[in-house]
Amino acid sequence: MSNLNALTIADAREKLRAGEITSVELTEACLKAADAAKALNAVVHPTPEIALEQAKAADARLSSGNAPDMCGIPLGIKDLFCTKGVASQAASGILKGFKPEYESTVTTQLFDAGAVMIGKLNMDEFAMGSSNETSVYGNVINPWRRGNDETALTPGGSSGGSASAVAADLCLAATGTDTGGSIRQPAAFVGITGLKPTYGRVSRWGVVAFASSLDQAGPMAKSVRDCAIMLKAMSGHDPKDSTSAELAVPDFEAMLTGNIKGQTIGIPKEYRMDGMPEEIEDLWAEGRAMLEDAGAKIVDISLPHTKYALPAYYVVAPAEASSNLARYDGVRYGHRAKLSHGDGVTEMYEKTRAEGFGAEVKRRVMIGTYVLSAGFYDAYYNRARRVRALIKKDFEDVFAAGVDAILTPATPSSAFALGQEFDDPVQMYLNDVFTVTVNLAGLPGIAVPAGLDMQGLPLGLQLIGKPWEEGALMNVAQALEDRAGFVSKPSKWW
Amino acid sequence: MSIDTETARRVAKLARIKVEEADLPALAQDFNRILGFVEQLNEVDIEGVEPMTSVTPMRLKRRADEVTDGDQQNKVLSNAPDAREGFFAVPKVVE
């Protein structure tokens, strides 16, 4: 059988269980595809030996029967996850050479479920970016192009390596993390499905921290069903993460009936932005029609504080980042600057951090330091936290009024050219305008590929759900996926 | 609020990031651009709204105050840029 690497998790699961294919064959197909895709720069630390060892173990488990859903499935793991004995750098120079002595809870659970790791995936440095241009490993390239135009496009960020790897079939699915849109925006830019779970659903232990009150890991995969399968394996209470919820993990996949008759879907008027391309408007209207066709009731809603989400985010996230990234001091792990005669610890900190961090990370750490500094704490940080409470209340109000899920565009544009927005940080931040509200409110959100723009690039729609109701949310996403019928793949040039 | 070079220098110092003198004006400009964007928050009426401390209404878990782990000196030090005799080594701290 050819192109095993192009299978979905659900299809591979059936073939593995039926004995039609082995995990070793599937894994080899992915490793071969990854090896041939160096031009995408998505896989930055390939782990073929670990992969084949895991695949053999998975095959043994499969042949004994009773193997879990993820058994034998090759995945890519974002570089933000600590993986024991394998480079885990968060795409930063400051963690060069860092090989954790421990395994993150998410990868532990995935490996316990029999999943296979083909390698660590590129990303924006410390997950700070929307184009994967801040990585110490260099840019990730989107497998999609504008027709025959060879301009290199961004896969989005920060989970750009995960997006590119899944879209190019280098693995069946990948882990991502999402602090302001870092799963959903790249998923939309490459035509795959990406889910950010409710805050607290997935353990953050062993995931390099960016902004702890916003960070959440989730699946990036080729279908809603695959996201459901993978999320189940990633989720659950973890005593090592004090914000991890003590809630049972439902069988998300069993909830994907695609039947959403009688459900109420809200369309928020504040997401209609000035200067938004007409194609995005049209896609949004099509999505609305698709859900209506599925039997849902569509209502116009208002989320009045939407406009203030990005400014609040750019106070809260840098503040938390400046605190989290204080640990990179050149003492315990990673890079330490070469010191001059007479340099003390302060010089060691300052030189190490100047050399180890990239420009965007420095910018955000310093903004965070500023908004937390004496005299500005109330004016910036506390104000932003109060606005955040209002943003969350906007959602609570519409859910209380009977809305089951909210439909919005996933991004304000399709994938743009690398370099295009890199020089203006604020312009870059606007990429997350539709996704960042969800992180501030701690809600689950999913990006579903829904069409192509005039340049032939994928566009996604976002659905936002109630807290802890990822299953119901993915069921709406399933109804959308069924009707959008998105099957396009990038033509292979790499 | 406009950030001048002096403020940029002070923030860099607080963040323990060495910034060359020549790069301070551009940094101050970046700060102004970002903080200018953030200024919009002043339009919001936040009277009577409590600052959010936890996005999910849950109390932080506590566990018994007891040792659950230990005896991992080698693992703890294995990634250190400079470890000697079972310790992290740093430049002289006390004169």
Side-chain angles (χ1 to χ4, degrees), chain A residues 86-145:
Chain A
V86 177
S88 306
Q89 272 183 246
S92 179
I94 210 154
L95 277 171
K96 192 168 172 17
F98 177 58
K99 289 188 176 171
E101 293 283 354
Y102 52 88
E103 192 72 47
S104 79
T105 297
V106 165
T107 46
T108 300
Q109 288 187 195
L110 287 169
F111 297 158
D112 285 352
V116 171
M117 170 170 72
I118 63 136
K120 299 299 282 292
L121 304 179
N122 205 343
M123 54 179 280
D124 277 298
E125 183 181 6
F126 284 108
M128 297 181 194
S130 303
S131 63
N132 221 119
E133 291 171 285
T134 69
S135 166
V136 74
Y137 309 118
N139 299 343
V140 179
I141 314 294
N142 191 329
W144 290 84
R145 285 177 166 175

Coordinates of all heavy atoms in Angstrom, one line a residue, chain A residues 86-145:
Chain A
V86 N 15.6 13.8 24.7 CA 15.5 14.3 23.3 C 15.5 15.9 23.4 O 14.8 16.4 24.2 CB 14.3 13.8 22.6 CG1 14.2 14.4 21.2 CG2 14.2 12.3 22.5
A87 N 16.3 16.5 22.6 CA 16.4 18.0 22.6 C 15.0 18.6 22.7 O 14.0 18.2 22.0 CB 17.1 18.5 21.3
S88 N 14.8 19.5 23.6 CA 13.5 20.2 23.8 C 13.9 21.7 24.1 O 14.2 22.1 25.2 CB 12.8 19.6 25.0 OG 12.7 18.2 24.9
Q89 N 13.9 22.5 23.0 CA 14.5 23.8 23.1 C 13.5 24.9 23.0 O 13.9 26.1 23.0 CB 15.4 24.0 21.9 CG 16.8 23.5 22.2 CD 17.7 23.8 21.0 OE1 18.2 22.9 20.3 NE2 17.9 25.1 20.6
A90 N 12.2 24.6 22.8 CA 11.2 25.7 22.6 C 11.7 26.6 21.5 O 11.4 27.8 21.5 CB 10.9 26.5 23.9
A91 N 12.4 26.1 20.5 CA 13.0 26.8 19.4 C 13.7 28.0 19.8 O 13.8 29.0 19.1 CB 11.8 27.2 18.4
S92 N 14.4 27.9 21.0 CA 15.2 29.1 21.5 C 16.6 28.7 21.6 O 17.0 27.6 22.0 CB 14.6 29.5 22.9 OG 15.4 30.5 23.4
G93 N 17.5 29.7 21.4 CA 18.9 29.5 21.6 C 19.3 29.4 23.0 O 20.3 28.8 23.4
I94 N 18.4 29.9 23.9 CA 18.8 29.8 25.3 C 18.6 28.4 25.9 O 19.2 28.1 27.0 CB 17.9 30.8 26.2 CG1 18.8 31.3 27.4 CG2 16.6 30.3 26.6 CD1 18.4 32.6 27.9
L95 N 17.9 27.5 25.2 CA 17.8 26.1 25.6 C 18.6 25.2 24.8 O 18.4 24.0 24.7 CB 16.3 25.7 25.7 CG 15.6 26.1 27.0 CD1 14.1 25.9 26.8 CD2 16.1 25.4 28.2
K96 N 19.6 25.8 24.1 CA 20.4 24.9 23.2 C 21.1 23.8 24.0 O 21.7 24.1 25.1 CB 21.5 25.8 22.5 CG 22.2 25.1 21.4 CD 23.1 26.1 20.6 CE 24.0 25.6 19.6 NZ 23.8 24.2 19.1
G97 N 21.0 22.6 23.6 CA 21.6 21.5 24.2 C 20.8 20.9 25.4 O 21.2 19.9 25.9
F98 N 19.7 21.5 25.7 CA 18.8 21.0 26.8 C 18.2 19.7 26.4 O 17.4 19.6 25.4 CB 17.8 22.0 27.2 CG 16.9 21.6 28.3 CD1 17.3 21.2 29.5 CD2 15.5 21.6 28.1 CE1 16.5 20.8 30.5 CE2 14.6 21.2 29.0 CZ 15.1 20.8 30.3
K99 N 18.5 18.7 27.2 CA 17.8 17.4 27.0 C 17.2 17.0 28.4 O 17.9 16.6 29.3 CB 18.8 16.3 26.6 CG 19.2 16.5 25.1 CD 20.1 15.4 24.6 CE 20.4 15.6 23.2 NZ 21.4 14.6 22.7
P100 N 15.8 17.1 28.4 CA 15.2 16.9 29.7 C 15.4 15.5 30.3 O 15.5 14.6 29.5 CB 13.7 17.1 29.4 CG 13.6 17.8 28.1 CD 14.9 17.4 27.4
E101 N 15.4 15.5 31.6 CA 15.5 14.2 32.3 C 14.1 13.6 32.6 O 14.0 12.6 33.3 CB 16.3 14.4 33.6 CG 17.7 14.7 33.5 CD 18.6 13.5 33.1 OE1 18.1 12.4 33.1 OE2 19.8 13.8 32.9
Y102 N 13.1 14.3 32.1 CA 11.7 13.9 32.3 C 10.9 14.0 31.1 O 11.3 14.7 30.1 CB 11.2 14.7 33.5 CG 11.3 16.1 33.3 CD1 10.3 16.9 32.7 CD2 12.4 16.8 33.8 CE1 10.4 18.2 32.5 CE2 12.5 18.2 33.6 CZ 11.6 18.9 33.0 OH 11.7 20.2 32.8
E103 N 9.7 13.4 31.1 CA 8.8 13.5 30.0 C 7.5 14.3 30.4 O 7.0 14.1 31.5 CB 8.4 12.0 29.7 CG 7.6 11.7 28.4 CD 8.5 11.8 27.2 OE1 9.6 11.3 27.2 OE2 8.1 12.5 26.3
S104 N 7.1 15.1 29.5 CA 5.9 15.9 29.8 C 4.7 15.0 30.0 O 4.7 13.8 29.5 CB 5.5 16.9 28.7 OG 4.9 16.2 27.6
T105 N 3.7 15.4 30.7 CA 2.5 14.6 31.0 C 1.8 14.2 29.7 O 1.4 13.1 29.5 CB 1.5 15.3 31.9 OG1 2.2 15.4 33.2 CG2 0.3 14.4 32.1
V106 N 1.7 15.2 28.8 CA 1.0 14.9 27.5 C 1.7 13.8 26.7 O 1.1 12.9 26.2 CB 0.9 16.2 26.6 CG1 0.5 15.9 25.2 CG2 -0.2 17.1 27.3
T107 N 3.1 13.9 26.6 CA 3.8 12.9 25.8 C 3.8 11.6 26.5 O 3.7 10.5 25.9 CB 5.2 13.4 25.4 OG1 5.8 14.0 26.5 CG2 5.1 14.4 24.3
T108 N 3.8 11.6 27.9 CA 3.8 10.4 28.6 C 2.5 9.7 28.3 O 2.5 8.5 28.0 CB 3.8 10.7 30.1 OG1 5.1 11.4 30.4 CG2 3.8 9.4 31.0
Q109 N 1.4 10.4 28.4 CA 0.0 9.8 28.1 C -0.1 9.3 26.7 O -0.6 8.2 26.4 CB -1.1 10.8 28.4 CG -1.3 11.1 29.9 CD -2.5 12.0 30.2 OE1 -2.6 12.5 31.3 NE2 -3.4 12.1 29.2
L110 N 0.5 10.1 25.7 CA 0.4 9.6 24.3 C 1.2 8.4 24.1 O 0.8 7.4 23.5 CB 0.9 10.7 23.4 CG -0.1 11.9 23.2 CD1 0.6 13.1 22.5 CD2 -1.4 11.5 22.4
F111 N 2.4 8.4 24.7 CA 3.3 7.2 24.5 C 2.7 6.0 25.3 O 2.8 4.9 24.8 CB 4.7 7.5 25.0 CG 5.4 8.6 24.2 CD1 6.5 9.3 24.8 CD2 5.0 8.9 22.9 CE1 7.1 10.3 24.0 CE2 5.6 9.9 22.2 CZ 6.7 10.6 22.8
D112 N 2.1 6.2 26.4 CA 1.5 5.1 27.2 C 0.3 4.5 26.3 O 0.0 3.3 26.4 CB 0.9 5.6 28.5 CG 2.0 5.8 29.5 OD1 3.2 5.4 29.2 OD2 1.8 6.3 30.6
A113 N -0.3 5.4 25.5 CA -1.4 4.9 24.7 C -0.9 4.3 23.4 O -1.6 3.9 22.5 CB -2.3 6.1 24.3
G114 N 0.5 4.2 23.3 CA 1.0 3.5 22.1 C 1.5 4.4 20.9 O 1.9 3.9 19.9
A115 N 1.3 5.7 21.1 CA 1.7 6.6 20.0 C 3.2 6.6 19.8 O 4.0 6.3 20.7 CB 1.2 8.0 20.3
V116 N 3.6 6.9 18.5 CA 5.0 6.9 18.1 C 5.4 8.3 17.8 O 4.7 9.1 17.2 CB 5.0 6.1 16.8 CG1 6.4 6.2 16.1 CG2 4.6 4.6 17.1
M117 N 6.6 8.7 18.2 CA 7.1 10.1 18.0 C 8.1 10.0 16.8 O 9.2 9.4 17.0 CB 7.8 10.7 19.2 CG 8.6 11.9 18.9 SD 9.1 12.8 20.4 CE 10.4 11.7 21.0
I118 N 7.8 10.7 15.7 CA 8.8 10.7 14.6 C 9.8 11.8 14.8 O 10.9 11.8 14.2 CB 8.1 10.9 13.2 CG1 7.4 12.3 13.2 CG2 7.2 9.8 12.9 CD1 7.6 13.0 11.9
G119 N 9.6 12.8 15.6 CA 10.6 13.9 15.9 C 9.9 15.1 16.5 O 8.7 15.1 16.8
K120 N 10.8 16.0 16.8 CA 10.4 17.3 17.4 C 10.2 18.3 16.3 O 10.9 18.4 15.4 CB 11.4 17.8 18.4 CG 11.7 16.9 19.6 CD 10.4 16.6 20.5 CE 10.1 17.7 21.4 NZ 11.1 17.9 22.5
L121 N 9.1 19.1 16.5 CA 8.7 20.0 15.4 C 9.0 21.5 15.7 O 8.9 22.0 16.9 CB 7.2 19.9 15.2 CG 6.8 18.4 14.8 CD1 5.3 18.4 14.6 CD2 7.5 17.9 13.6
N122 N 9.4 22.2 14.7 CA 9.7 23.6 14.7 C 8.5 24.4 15.2 O 7.3 24.0 15.1 CB 10.1 24.0 13.3 CG 11.0 25.3 13.3 OD1 11.1 26.0 14.3 ND2 11.7 25.5 12.2
M123 N 8.8 25.6 15.6 CA 7.8 26.5 16.2 C 8.4 27.9 16.4 O 9.6 28.1 16.2 CB 7.4 26.0 17.6 CG 8.6 25.8 18.5 SD 8.1 25.2 20.2 CE 7.6 26.7 20.9
D124 N 7.5 28.9 16.7 CA 8.1 30.2 17.1 C 8.8 30.1 18.5 O 8.3 29.3 19.3 CB 7.0 31.2 17.2 CG 6.6 31.8 15.8 OD1 7.5 32.4 15.2 OD2 5.5 31.6 15.4
E125 N 9.8 30.9 18.7 CA 10.6 30.8 19.9 C 9.7 31.0 21.1 O 9.0 32.0 21.2 CB 11.7 31.8 19.9 CG 12.6 31.8 21.2 CD 13.7 32.8 21.2 OE1 13.7 33.7 20.3 OE2 14.5 32.7 22.1
F126 N 9.7 30.1 22.0 CA 8.8 30.1 23.2 C 7.3 30.3 22.9 O 6.6 30.9 23.7 CB 9.3 31.2 24.2 CG 10.5 30.8 25.0 CD1 11.7 31.3 24.8 CD2 10.4 29.8 26.0 CE1 12.8 30.9 25.5 CE2 11.5 29.4 26.7 CZ 12.8 29.9 26.4
A127 N 7.0 29.9 21.7 CA 5.6 30.0 21.2 C 5.1 31.5 21.0 O 3.9 31.8 21.0 CB 4.6 29.3 22.1
M128 N 6.1 32.4 20.9 CA 5.8 33.8 20.7 C 5.9 34.2 19.2 O 7.0 34.5 18.7 CB 6.7 34.7 21.5 CG 6.6 34.4 23.0 SD 7.6 35.5 24.0 CE 7.6 34.7 25.6
G129 N 4.8 34.1 18.5 CA 4.9 34.5 17.1 C 3.6 34.0 16.4 O 3.0 33.1 16.9
S130 N 3.4 34.5 15.2 CA 2.2 34.1 14.4 C 2.6 33.7 13.0 O 1.8 33.6 12.1 CB 1.1 35.2 14.4 OG 0.8 35.6 15.7
S131 N 3.9 33.5 12.8 CA 4.4 33.2 11.4 C 5.5 32.2 11.4 O 6.1 31.9 10.4 CB 4.8 34.5 10.7 OG 5.9 35.0 11.5
N132 N 5.9 31.7 12.6 CA 7.0 30.8 12.7 C 8.3 31.4 12.2 O 9.2 30.7 11.6 CB 6.8 29.5 12.0 CG 7.3 28.3 12.9 OD1 6.6 27.4 13.3 ND2 8.6 28.3 13.1
E133 N 8.5 32.7 12.3 CA 9.7 33.4 11.9 C 10.6 33.8 13.1 O 11.7 34.3 12.9 CB 9.3 34.7 11.1 CG 8.7 34.3 9.8 CD 8.2 35.6 9.1 OE1 7.1 36.1 9.5 OE2 8.8 36.1 8.1
T134 N 10.2 33.4 14.3 CA 11.1 33.8 15.4 C 11.9 32.6 15.9 O 12.5 32.7 17.0 CB 10.2 34.4 16.6 OG1 9.4 33.3 17.2 CG2 9.3 35.5 16.2
S135 N 11.8 31.5 15.2 CA 12.5 30.3 15.6 C 14.0 30.3 15.5 O 14.5 30.8 14.4 CB 11.9 29.1 14.8 OG 12.8 28.0 15.0
V136 N 14.7 29.8 16.4 CA 16.2 29.7 16.3 C 16.6 28.7 15.2 O 17.7 28.7 14.7 CB 16.8 29.3 17.6 CG1 16.6 27.8 17.9 CG2 18.3 29.6 17.7
Y137 N 15.7 27.8 14.8 CA 15.9 26.9 13.7 C 15.6 27.4 12.4 O 15.8 26.7 11.4 CB 15.0 25.6 13.9 CG 15.0 25.0 15.3 CD1 13.9 24.9 16.0 CD2 16.2 24.4 15.8 CE1 13.8 24.3 17.2 CE2 16.2 23.7 17.0 CZ 15.0 23.7 17.7 OH 14.9 23.1 19.0
G138 N 15.2 28.7 12.3 CA 14.8 29.2 11.0 C 13.3 29.0 10.7 O 12.6 28.4 11.4
N139 N 12.9 29.7 9.6 CA 11.4 29.7 9.2 C 10.9 28.3 8.9 O 11.7 27.5 8.3 CB 11.2 30.5 8.0 CG 11.6 32.0 8.3 OD1 11.7 32.4 9.4 ND2 11.7 32.8 7.2
V140 N 9.7 28.0 9.2 CA 9.0 26.8 8.6 C 8.3 27.3 7.3 O 7.9 28.4 7.3 CB 7.9 26.3 9.6 CG1 7.2 25.1 8.9 CG2 8.6 25.9 10.9
I141 N 8.3 26.4 6.3 CA 7.7 26.8 5.1 C 6.3 26.1 5.0 O 6.2 24.9 5.3 CB 8.5 26.4 3.8 CG1 10.0 26.8 4.0 CG2 8.0 27.0 2.5 CD1 10.3 28.2 4.1
N142 N 5.3 26.8 4.5 CA 4.0 26.2 4.3 C 4.0 25.4 3.1 O 4.5 25.8 2.0 CB 3.0 27.4 4.1 CG 1.5 26.9 4.2 OD1 1.2 25.8 3.8 ND2 0.7 27.8 4.6
P143 N 3.5 24.1 3.2 CA 3.5 23.3 1.9 C 2.6 23.9 0.8 O 2.8 23.5 -0.3 CB 3.0 21.9 2.4 CG 2.4 22.1 3.8 CD 3.0 23.4 4.3
W144 N 1.7 24.8 1.2 CA 0.8 25.4 0.2 C 1.5 26.5 -0.5 O 2.2 27.3 0.2 CB -0.5 25.9 0.9 CG -1.4 24.8 1.4 CD1 -1.3 24.2 2.5 CD2 -2.5 24.3 0.7 NE1 -2.3 23.3 2.7 CE2 -3.1 23.3 1.5 CE3 -3.1 24.5 -0.6 CZ2 -4.2 22.6 1.2 CZ3 -4.2 23.8 -0.9 CH2 -4.8 22.8 0.0
R145 N 1.2 26.7 -1.8 CA 1.7 27.8 -2.5 C 0.6 28.5 -3.3 O -0.5 27.9 -3.4 CB 2.8 27.4 -3.5 CG 4.1 27.1 -2.9 CD 5.1 26.6 -4.0 NE 6.5 26.6 -3.5 CZ 7.5 26.1 -4.2 NH1 7.3 25.6 -5.4 NH2 8.7 26.1 -3.7

